[in-house]
Amino acid sequence: MHKAKMIRTEEVDQRLVTLDLIHFVELGHMPLDRSMIQGLAMFWRPETHTFHFPRVGEMTVTLEDVAFIFGLPTTGRPVTGRTDYDDVQKLADFALPRDTLMEDVLDCFRERATDRRAGRKLHAVQFGKLRDMWAQGPGSEDADRIDRYTRALVLELMGCEMFPDTTGDSVTCFYLELLRDVHASDSVRYNWGAATLAMLYRGLDLAVLANGAQKVPAPQWTTRLRSKKVKGPVRSGIEYARDVLMKMEHAHVVWQPYEDELRQVVMPPYARYEQRYYRLRYICR
């Protein structure tokens, strides 16, 4: 996972507030504890989307975790839509500077090989090329340029930290369709929190089913878990993480980590309002 590096300005922050992403952006970057992530993946069960620990039982990541740690909204329209596009220039018009030369557009956007073989055109934008395009920042006078820059910044943020994949250097462009309106007067509220959680579940499922838990595209909140140094024989990080999780008992788990006082200070207002949704259940009759 790479750190989102594009520059923020006051005008860009105003648009990030409109998109309900300002709290997430202000979190900053957290380094990954890959050993702990891969150790956790060994206990993941795709059938139930939960971790199965020998002495504790089932545990999982919930919408409450996403809302509290990320400050992302957990209500709104679903994050979904078309994923295949033929017109690269149309995609570029969302997030690249105006009047960008076509050869530069094609250099920045590329097709994913796996989708070409399937007969679909799924374009991705490369982080490095996107940053080069906006090396001078958005400026502060041209509203259209600031809009384009904001979309580019959010796209980089999604690919680096919200919806990362194992490519590590690019992000699918379909998210641009969700960023058409970046002004308060005409913006659409999306459920970024549920989408982030769904991508985590999907990444863990794929890692366990296809790769034996060797590759997990994990969002940055997983760095809250840390393995501790212990005395004794030196072992690899993954072995130690797995050993700690195998021996974890009820007494080692903070079952209610989000106290009411902390909620009032840390969580954004809309996340506090959405608390009633965190424990909803579907009842089958």
Side-chain angles (χ1 to χ4, degrees):
M1 188 179 71
H2 298 273
K3 180 180 179 181
K5 298 178 180 178
M6 295 183 70
I7 303 168
R8 289 167 50 200
T9 65
E10 183 178 349
E11 292 79 9
V12 171
D13 279 356
Q14 291 172 359
R15 289 157 173 79
L16 292 174
V17 170
T18 297
L19 295 169
D20 289 330
L21 292 173
I22 187 65
H23 295 279
F24 181 75
V25 174
E26 289 178 343
L27 283 176
H29 179 70
M30 303 178 192
L32 292 178
D33 187 335
R34 299 185 182 277
S35 297
M36 182 59 73
I37 293 171
Q38 292 183 15
L40 278 167
M42 295 176 184
F43 297 90
W44 182 256
R45 296 296 178 268
E47 302 84 0
T48 57
H49 292 128
T50 56
F51 298 102
H52 286 236
F53 299 113
R55 303 185 183 184
V56 176
E58 292 184 78
M59 297 177 66
T60 193
V61 185
T62 67
L63 276 177
E64 184 176 26
D65 297 313
V66 175
F68 192 86
I69 298 174
F70 270 179
L72 292 172
T74 54
T75 61
R77 291 191 183 181
V79 178
T80 186
R82 289 183 57 188
T83 58
D84 56 321
Y85 289 93
D86 295 326
D87 191 349
V88 182
Q89 187 65 54
K90 180 182 177 181
L91 290 171
D93 285 340
F94 282 117
L96 296 187
R98 194 186 300 113
D99 302 326
T100 303
L101 297 177
M102 191 59 190
E103 54 264 33
D104 293 330
V105 171
L106 295 175
D107 189 41
C108 189
F109 289 79
R110 68 182 184 192
E111 286 184 45
R112 294 267 175 94
T114 54
D115 295 286
R116 267 206 311 272
R117 289 196 295 270
R120 299 170 58 233
K121 290 187 177 181
L122 176 59
H123 290 93
V125 62
Q126 300 177 72
F127 298 137
K129 302 293 178 61
L130 189 66
R131 293 165 185 156
D132 291 342
M133 289 278 188
W134 290 105
Q136 302 303 317
S140 59
E141 298 180 357
D142 189 337
D144 177 68
R145 181 178 172 86
I146 297 173
D147 290 348
R148 290 165 179 260
Y149 182 86
T150 301
R151 295 188 191 102
L153 184 148
V154 173
L155 190 65
E156 183 196 34
L157 184 73
M158 289 175 172
C160 287
E161 301 186 16
M162 286 176 68
F163 312 130
D165 57 28
T166 54
T167 63
D169 66 349
S170 61
V171 59
T172 177
C173 296
F174 112 84
Y175 299 118
L176 286 171
E177 281 289 343
L178 310 177
L179 304 175
R180 286 177 175 272
D181 304 318
V182 293
H183 298 281
S185 59
D186 52 12
S187 64
V188 176
R189 196 167 195 263
Y190 285 101
N191 192 335
W192 302 118
T196 301
L197 183 61
M199 286 291 286
L200 171 69
Y201 284 178
R202 179 177 181 273
L204 284 164
D205 288 352
L206 293 175
V208 171
L209 294 173
N211 301 319
Q214 295 306 306
K215 285 188 176 182
V216 182
Q220 59 173 301
W221 57 262
T222 50
T223 60
R224 298 288 182 177
L225 297 170
R226 288 284 188 270
S227 56
K228 299 179 180 179
K229 295 181 179 179
V230 295
K231 296 179 180 179
V234 177
R235 294 178 289 179
S236 71
I238 299 175
E239 290 178 355
Y240 175 64
R242 182 178 180 276
D243 193 37
V244 168
L245 295 169
M246 285 284 290
K247 296 177 181 178
M248 183 173 63
E249 299 181 354
H250 280 260
H252 301 146
V253 180
V254 180
W255 293 102
Q256 295 180 331
Y258 310 128
E259 301 295 340
D260 290 338
E261 296 79 7
L262 193 59
R263 294 174 188 274
Q264 301 302 318
V265 175
V266 178
M267 296 182 78
Y270 56 77
R272 292 197 295 270
Y273 171 76
E274 293 165 358
Q275 291 181 66
R276 56 182 175 164
Y277 296 107
Y278 300 155
R279 292 178 173 82
L280 288 179
R281 296 182 180 180
Y282 289 102
I283 300 177
C284 299
R285 297 184 183 274

